[in-house]
Amino acid sequence: MRHPDAQLRANHRPSELIPPGIHPGQVVVIQAAQPSYAGKILLTLTASAGTALLIIVLAFAFQMIAAAAAAAIPTVGGASVSLHLARKR
């Protein structure tokens, strides 16, 4: 038997679990149910999706703020700002 509780699952009753003076046929072994991980998995997925969504919203907001600032600078100080991407030659 590979698992520590395999004897109990096979309905074998170790002698240390049987109280003195009790017939082994009168002993009932109760086993606890296996734990469910569905709630923990759902919480992890929800937190991950929420974090990813927050990062996307912040990136979009930063892009909009930067574009608005680049458009507003020429009207405020009379200067112009242009953004150029580096090109490989």
Side-chain angles (χ1 to χ4, degrees), residues 24-45:
Q26 297 174 338
V27 177
V28 177
V29 178
I30 300 174
Q31 300 173 3
Q34 295 292 329
S36 173
Y37 296 105
K40 294 177 184 177
I41 292 172
L42 184 62
L43 178 64
T44 302
L45 291 175

Side-chain angles (χ1 to χ4, degrees), residues 8-87:
L8 296 177
R9 291 182 186 276
N11 209 15
H12 298 169
R13 296 171 186 92
S15 61
E16 62 267 6
L17 292 180
I18 300 174
I22 301 294
H23 187 269
Q26 297 174 338
V27 177
V28 177
V29 178
I30 300 174
Q31 300 173 3
Q34 295 292 329
S36 173
Y37 296 105
K40 294 177 184 177
I41 292 172
L42 184 62
L43 178 64
T44 302
L45 291 175
T46 304
S48 299
T51 302
L53 183 63
L54 180 66
I55 290 172
I56 290 171
V57 167
L58 289 177
F60 185 72
F62 180 74
Q63 177 187 5
M64 295 301 288
I65 291 170
I73 287 177
T75 60
V76 173
S80 64
V81 175
S82 61
L83 302 174
H84 296 287
L85 298 175
R87 294 185 183 178

